[in-house]
């Protein structure tokens, strides 16, 4: 059974998970830094000039990662939807999403922006879409748009590497800035990727709508990193993640880990206060070595094992909201041991557990997931 499968029948709507007690008073997600307003206006203006748009979305949330305010403008353009981070998305479900977009008459491709072969396939599709205008236009403009942190800049940089290997470029090619936080790219810059005809790619900053009234969409965007954690709160996000995992009965897929003794020879000396993940390392970052990678793999298995045991041993009715919340509280407490956070005050420990759990999910160590549900066919 797929790790990222659908919700159980009683929880299939997903809406109930977002409206659980831990979200009481949460309301709409509002995050619209000042630079986004100007960027949104600039994007709308440049869209009029674009010959083709690459709309980058997060493959884990193919619908939730679409900027709703741009959809009407994009509908009238040549467009390719690039579902990025496919390595983090459930491959058993991804092909159903591709078929869904095709049934909506939308070109769609799942990609890994860091993979040359994957990006080459995207460029081939873009060239095919531009074929009908490429003969009569001396200059063509391709825009890359998307919400924050879906991998637009990583895609731009991969396109540069491929383009410069195909076409010797005289001028120096500027690289797009890539960072782990949403909203890193804060201006719009043009990059020449080909000659005869000249093809320019515009990288744009990630822009969200000013307010996300649908709580489920807002939580999914925050869970996948499109909204800063501080806007929603790490503990609230961790509770939401555990609600999804428990509602899908995902921990049952990790039963095999219970009888597997994890070999940690040479790694037990890690102190619980030592940075474990790349995003918790000091500002002057060091490279993760093999022992770090093995340690993270072992830690992920320990977390999965803990979630399985708490899920299996829980005697309450997991389909009742209050009971599910009790299970989540038990799991957050049990994860303190898995993460070796045993000597911290309760609030501080829950925050630390939440941050580390979110990191494991975001780097794919808990498995591949697609959080959105495929809508009914049009």
């Amino acid at each position: 059974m797929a790790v990222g499968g659908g919700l159980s029948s009683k929880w299939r709507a997903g809406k109930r998970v977002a409206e659980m007690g831990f979200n009481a008073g949460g309301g709409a997600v509002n995050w619209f830094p000042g630079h986004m307003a100007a960027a949104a206006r600039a994007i709308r203006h440049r869209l009029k000039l674009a010959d083709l748009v690459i709309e980058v979305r997060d493959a884990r949330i193919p619908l939730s990662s679409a900027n709703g305010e741009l959809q009407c403008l994009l509908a009238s353009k040549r467009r390719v939807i690039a579902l990025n981070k496919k390595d983090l998305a459930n491959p058993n479900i991804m092909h159903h999403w591709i078929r869904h977009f095709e049934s909506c008459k939308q070109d769609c491709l799942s990609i890994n922006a860091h993979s040359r072969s994957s990006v080459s396939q995207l460029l081939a599709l873009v060239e095919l879409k531009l074929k009908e205008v490429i003969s009569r236009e001396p200059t063509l403009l391709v825009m890359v748009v998307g919400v924050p942190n879906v991998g637009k800049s990583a895609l731009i940089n991969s396109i540069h590497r491929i383009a410069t290997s195909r076409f010797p470029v005289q001028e120096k090619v500027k690289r797009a800035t890539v960072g782990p936080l949403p909203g890193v790219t804060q201006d719009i810059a043009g990059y020449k990727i080909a000659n005869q005809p000249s093809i320019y790619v515009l990288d744009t900053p990630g822009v969200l709508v000013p307010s996300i009234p649908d709580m489920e969409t807002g939580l999914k965007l925050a869970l996948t990193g499109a909204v800063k954690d501080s806007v929603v709160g790490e503990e609230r996000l961790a509770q939401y993640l555990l609600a999804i995992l428990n509602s899908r009965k995902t921990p049952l897929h990790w039963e095999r880990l219970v009888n597997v003794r994890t070999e940690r020879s040479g790694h037990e000396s890690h102190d619980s206060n030592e940075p474990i993940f790349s995003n918790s390392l000091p500002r002057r970052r060091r490279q993760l070595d093999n022992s770090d990678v093995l340690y993270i793999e072992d830690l992920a298995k320990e977390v999965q094992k803990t979630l399985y045991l708490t899920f299996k041993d829980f005697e309450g009715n997991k389909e009742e909201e209050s009971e599910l919340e009790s299970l989540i509280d038990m799991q957050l407490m049990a994860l303190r041991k898995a993460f070796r956070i045993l000597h911290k005050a309760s609030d501080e420990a829950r925050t630390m557990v939440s941050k580390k759990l979110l990191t494991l999910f975001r780097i794919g160590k808990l498995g591949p997931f697609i959080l959105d549900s495929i809508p009914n066919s049009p």
Side-chain angles (χ1 to χ4, degrees), residues 121-137:
Q121 291 178 11
L122 175 62
L123 290 179
L125 181 57
V126 167
E127 291 173 7
L128 179 64
K129 295 284 289 181
L130 287 174
K131 190 173 183 179
E132 58 191 49
V133 294
I134 206 168
S135 60
R136 62 178 185 270
E137 294 289 342

Side-chain angles (χ1 to χ4, degrees), residues 42-53 77 139-143 202:
I43 289 172
R44 291 189 184 91
H45 175 70
R46 286 164 172 78
L47 272 175
K48 300 174 184 177
L49 306 175
D51 296 289
L52 183 140
V53 177
K77 308 294 296 185
T139 302
L140 297 173
L141 182 63
V142 176
M143 276 191 74
L202 288 187

Side-chain angles (χ1 to χ4, degrees), residues 46 141-145 156 188-191 200-204:
R46 286 164 172 78
L141 182 63
V142 176
M143 276 191 74
V144 179
V145 301
I156 288 287
I188 297 180
Y191 307 96
Y200 288 85
V201 172
L202 288 187
D203 184 27
T204 61

Side-chain angles (χ1 to χ4, degrees), residues 80-326:
V80 173
I81 297 175
L83 298 178
N84 189 32
K85 306 184 183 183
K86 71 174 185 178
D87 52 312
L88 301 178
N90 188 341
N92 297 322
I93 299 176
M94 181 53 64
H95 66 282
H96 293 299
W97 276 100
I98 300 297
R99 284 209 299 265
H100 164 71
F101 284 111
E102 288 176 349
S103 70
C104 297
K105 310 299 182 185
Q106 295 176 338
D107 291 283
C108 180
L109 192 67
S110 60
I111 68 167
N112 178 347
H114 297 285
S115 166
R116 182 186 178 95
S117 62
S118 186
V119 177
S120 293
Q121 291 178 11
L122 175 62
L123 290 179
L125 181 57
V126 167
E127 291 173 7
L128 179 64
K129 295 284 289 181
L130 287 174
K131 190 173 183 179
E132 58 191 49
V133 294
I134 206 168
S135 60
R136 62 178 185 270
E137 294 289 342
T139 302
L140 297 173
L141 182 63
V142 176
M143 276 191 74
V144 179
V145 301
V147 301
N149 212 31
V150 291
K152 300 180 305 298
S153 296
L155 174 60
I156 288 287
N157 289 334
S158 292
I159 289 175
H160 281 165
R161 286 190 289 271
I162 294 172
T164 52
S165 68
R166 292 179 180 176
F167 310 102
V169 181
Q170 299 300 317
E171 64 269 25
K172 182 179 179 181
V173 176
K174 180 181 177 182
R175 292 175 60 83
T177 301
V178 178
L181 296 177
V184 170
T185 307
Q186 295 190 4
D187 59 1
I188 297 180
Y191 307 96
K192 189 173 184 178
I193 64 168
N195 291 315
Q196 297 177 349
S198 295
I199 299 179
Y200 288 85
V201 172
L202 288 187
D203 184 27
T204 61
V207 177
L208 288 170
V209 294
S211 177
I212 307 168
D214 177 64
M215 192 183 299
E216 180 83 1
T217 299
L219 287 170
K220 288 176 183 176
L221 286 166
L223 187 57
T224 54
V227 175
K228 289 181 179 178
D229 288 350
S230 58
V231 174
V232 177
E234 289 91 348
E235 185 176 335
R236 183 181 172 200
L237 281 175
Q239 290 173 313
Y240 175 62
L241 172 59
L242 289 173
I244 292 175
L245 296 180
N246 292 321
S247 298
R248 296 183 175 194
K249 298 183 173 63
T250 301
L252 294 180
H253 305 313
W254 299 328
E255 180 180 9
R256 69 189 186 282
L257 298 175
V258 174
N259 298 319
V260 175
R261 293 185 60 85
T262 305
E263 297 295 334
R264 288 182 176 171
S265 177
H267 308 305
E268 290 291 352
S269 60
H270 281 267
D271 185 81
S272 62
N273 293 321
E274 180 182 349
I276 296 175
F277 306 116
S278 59
N279 70 344
S280 65
L281 294 175
R283 181 176 291 275
R284 187 175 180 180
R285 292 175 135 191
R286 65 175 177 81
Q287 294 293 319
L288 292 178
D289 57 27
N290 288 335
S291 64
D292 290 315
V293 174
L294 289 172
Y295 178 64
I296 293 173
E297 295 286 350
D298 290 345
L299 186 62
K301 291 177 182 177
E302 190 66 27
V303 169
Q304 290 173 319
K305 176 180 174 181
T306 299
L307 294 180
Y308 165 75
L309 290 174
T310 51
F311 184 92
K312 178 176 178 292
D313 294 342
F314 184 72
E315 296 180 351
N317 183 355
K318 304 179 186 72
E319 293 189 346
E320 292 296 330
E321 179 179 326
S322 60
E323 295 291 315
L324 183 56
E325 288 180 358
S326 296

